[in-house]
Amino acid sequence: MSSWISAHCRDEPNTGSPINKQKRIARRKSEYRLHPKDVQEGLLVSYVHVLDVERPLSAGGKAYTFDVTYQGRVFLVEDRYCPNPDCDCQEVLLEFYEAVSREYDNSEQDDKCRICQHFLGKVTLDGQLAVEERYKCSLDEANAVLLAWWKQHGHGLQNLVNRYHDVKKIGQRSLDAPSSRSLAARLITRSLPARDVILDDPAAVNARVGRNAACPCGSGKKYKKCCGRTVVLPS
């Protein structure tokens, strides 16, 4: 499973990474656009999608930005940001998924795994941690995993601050741009309901709830208008 995890991590390259990758990411950041309505509504942006075209975990894809190990268990983390430049939330939402190896017989070699949405955490730009919502764990466990993430990645708080401001700039740029240019964004999505997903079958996420069915979150809206809302625009 470790090779699968490393293959789909989409964090920004460190100093030793190839220069062409750094240039590609810089260009993507400068060209990334959102639909103005999504900016005004504060539709959360997965930073992994700012870095790469691959779909993030929350949209049924495989990409994420952090991984953390806690008591031998592996958690994948997706950091998400509000793009509305008028919103001064000063926080980063962190969606935690547990990655579990799939069981195969001894004759089959495979590196696929199952993930399950575990909990939603938050870190403020001044380093305050909180658990916002839990799906399949106790509050104590969620706090422990969140603290483990902080111990492994908290030294990069300035990196999260930079991402926060990156997304705000993207939001402002998207509002300022002519409508014809604002359609360059690839993917924006709300958090999906708690679910288990086989990562070699991303379509399984959307197959569970019909697009016109009532959203399982209880909002009363259709799934496609609520948690299933995904904006996929041409590249």
Side-chain angles (χ1 to χ4, degrees), residues 123-186:
V123 58
T124 62
L125 299 191
D126 60 357
Q128 301 298 311
L129 303 175
V131 173
E132 293 287 286
E133 189 172 355
R134 293 173 289 115
Y135 311 119
K136 294 191 175 183
C137 63
S138 66
L139 179 59
D140 287 344
E141 181 179 79
N143 279 323
V145 175
L146 182 59
L147 183 59
W149 172 85
W150 180 250
K151 289 180 177 178
Q152 295 179 41
H153 299 284
H155 61 278
L157 178 61
Q158 185 58 49
N159 191 32
L160 297 181
V161 173
N162 293 340
R163 293 180 177 192
Y164 173 89
H165 292 298
D166 281 348
V167 174
K168 294 297 185 184
K169 290 177 182 177
I170 289 171
Q172 186 64 62
R173 186 168 65 229
S174 301
L175 292 175
D176 294 340
S179 58
S180 60
R181 295 183 59 195
S182 69
L183 299 182
R186 277 43 168 203

